[in-house]
Amino acid sequence: MTFNLIPLEKFEKLDILRLDVLDVRPREQFESFHIPTAINIPIDDVEDGKFELDPTKSYYVICRTTNKAYRASHIFEDAGFDIQMVAPGMIDYQGEIIRNNDDY
């Protein structure tokens, strides 16, 4: 089974506030800016299996570019979750965000 890839342009047209978004960037990047409803599960935690997700939900996985999202999507999918990987990532995202600083 292979996770689905969703182009960023299509993702941005969805009702973001109703989606379950997993942001796998490091905590510092996430805290700098993120999608309002996104949950941060840093890639290190994903790779260490430190996550609990609802198996009945579909998740959208995003990172800064796509590298971490790609790795995380494989792990989440192997664990049995319905995954959509957003590509490219937050570097090109034009939708609503919460911004705390301009570090990233």
Side-chain angles (χ1 to χ4, degrees):
M1 184 181 226
T2 303
F3 58 83
N4 294 314
L5 180 67
I6 182 169
L8 182 62
E9 308 83 46
K10 184 176 177 182
F11 175 73
E12 290 176 331
K13 292 178 183 174
L14 300 174
D15 185 356
I16 301 293
L17 299 179
R18 298 180 66 126
L19 302 178
D20 292 299
V21 179
L22 305 176
D23 188 323
V24 296
R25 294 177 297 154
R27 197 162 318 283
E28 302 80 32
Q29 287 183 26
F30 178 82
E31 289 173 357
S32 178
F33 72 97
H34 60 271
I35 296 169
T37 58
I39 297 167
N40 182 225
I41 306 176
I43 188 64
D44 291 342
D45 288 350
V46 175
E47 291 177 333
D48 290 341
K50 297 178 183 175
F51 60 88
E52 291 185 27
L53 301 175
D54 183 341
T56 65
K57 293 184 177 182
S58 294
Y59 294 95
Y60 293 82
V61 179
I62 196 165
C63 68
R64 183 172 180 270
T65 55
T66 55
N67 297 330
K68 291 172 184 66
Y70 182 79
R71 290 179 6 224
S73 293
H74 278 289
I75 293 167
F76 291 139
E77 186 191 53
D78 287 348
F81 297 102
D82 181 20
I83 298 299
Q84 306 270 336
M85 188 188 99
V86 182
M90 294 298 292
I91 196 166
D92 292 324
Y93 180 72
Q94 299 296 312
E96 184 178 352
I97 62 168
I98 293 174
R99 180 172 292 282
N100 294 314
N101 60 54
D102 293 323
D103 289 347
Y104 294 94

